[in-house]
């Protein structure tokens, strides 16, 4: 069987309550729509040629490695340690922190135990974004980052988009990204736990691997 990994913002989620579902319906619809179309497009193509497919949907993946867009937690942590992080948006909003080793193990398990045609959500500890900086404060003694109001962040996102249009460079912040940060994104990994024996590493244990020596 082939395993397809979908973006957390582009796949169906399992939310704990109606408020979570309503939040998701409002968050960055264009990005959600485009990512969902991409995942479904790949799935249709695979099924069309007879490839058995299993879909995995991870949360916010973090772990050791380069501080890139693919390692958002690592980039935020490193920027904060270097005092290059001006602040955070939506610090009280819930993220699902999925440790990279747990996600990798689930991919292996999906090949041997996953049911063809099923999707498995690979979440982690559901905690406010600010939680990782609280752990960082305990480990390194750093202060908590300031919280940027949504209105200010939206204005900065619009400015970034305008500069990107003029320069052709990718913006550091967009209004769509700000919209994502307005809402909670918890994930329920119950199906993966039952079928793939999926377990997740608490943020307190996993975050030290992100820190520079």
């Amino acid at each position: 069987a082939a395993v397809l990994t979908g973006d957390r913002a582009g796949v169906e989620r399992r939310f704990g309550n109606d408020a979570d579902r309503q939040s998701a319906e409002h968050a960055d619809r264009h990005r959600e729509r485009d990512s969902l179309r991409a995942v479904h497009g790949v799935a249709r193509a695979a099924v069309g040629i007879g490839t058995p497919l299993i879909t995995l949907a991870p949360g916010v993946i973090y772990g050791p490695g380069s501080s890139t867009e693919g390692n958002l937690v690592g980039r935020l942590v490193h920027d904060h340690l270097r005092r290059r992080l001006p602040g955070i948006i939506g610090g009280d909003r819930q993220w699902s922190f999925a440790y990279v080793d747990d996600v990798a193990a689930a991919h292996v398990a999906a090949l041997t135990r996953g049911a063809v045609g099923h999707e498995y959500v690979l979440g982690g500890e559901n905690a406010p974004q600010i939680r990782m900086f609280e752990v960082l404060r305990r480990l390194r003694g750093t202060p908590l980052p300031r919280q940027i109001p949504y209105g200010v962040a939206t204005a900065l996102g619009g400015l970034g988009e305008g500069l990107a249009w003029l320069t052709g460079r990718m913006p550091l912040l967009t209004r769509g990204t700000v919209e994502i940060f307005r809402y909670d994104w918890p994930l329920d990994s119950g199906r993966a736990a039952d079928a793939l024996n999926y377990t997740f590493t608490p943020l307190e244990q996993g975050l030290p691997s992100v820190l520079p020596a």
Side-chain angles (χ1 to χ4, degrees):
V3 175
L4 173 64
T5 305
D7 190 309
R8 65 186 281 269
V11 294
E12 179 184 359
R13 293 177 186 77
R14 276 61 174 169
F15 293 96
N17 54 53
D18 289 340
D20 292 333
R21 294 189 183 92
Q22 291 169 4
S23 292
E25 289 171 0
H26 289 88
D28 200 21
R29 290 190 180 93
H30 292 295
R31 182 173 184 270
E32 185 109 8
R33 178 197 61 200
D34 293 343
S35 187
L36 185 61
R37 284 177 177 171
V39 172
H40 285 179
V42 173
R44 284 194 299 270
V47 172
I49 61 175
T51 302
L53 191 68
I54 300 167
T55 305
L56 301 180
V60 180
I61 301 175
Y62 74 99
S66 301
S67 301
T68 64
E69 292 298 326
N71 188 5
L72 176 60
V73 170
R75 183 166 62 84
L76 291 173
V77 165
H78 286 198
D79 283 351
H80 188 52
L81 287 173
R82 296 168 184 162
R83 300 188 178 184
R84 293 169 49 189
L85 184 68
I88 60 173
I89 306 162
D92 61 338
R93 299 293 91 185
Q94 294 275 318
W95 289 12
S96 193
F97 294 89
Y99 190 59
V100 63
D101 287 356
D102 301 332
V103 174
H107 279 71
V108 175
L111 290 171
T112 57
R113 295 196 294 271
V116 172
H118 282 217
E119 175 191 277
Y120 300 97
V121 174
L122 307 177
E125 180 178 338
N126 292 322
Q129 181 194 166
I130 194 67
R131 173 65 178 145
M132 61 178 165
F133 296 103
E134 293 172 344
V135 174
L136 187 60
R137 179 176 60 179
R138 186 184 66 77
L139 294 173
R140 292 294 178 90
T142 54
L144 296 179
R146 67 170 59 93
Q147 305 246 11
I148 300 176
Y150 290 117
V152 173
T154 299
L156 291 173
L159 178 61
E161 292 169 18
L163 290 174
W165 183 82
L166 291 173
T167 64
R169 297 179 180 178
M170 289 291 292
L172 295 176
L173 181 67
T174 67
R175 287 170 293 179
T177 300
V178 175
E179 192 68 11
I180 289 175
F181 286 142
R182 285 181 179 271
Y183 302 103
D184 292 318
W185 300 99
L187 295 175
D188 180 355
S189 306
R191 176 186 284 183
D194 292 340
L196 309 179
N197 292 328
Y198 178 71
T199 60
F200 62 81
T201 301
L203 190 60
E204 186 91 21
Q205 296 178 21
L207 194 65
S209 71
V210 176
L211 304 181

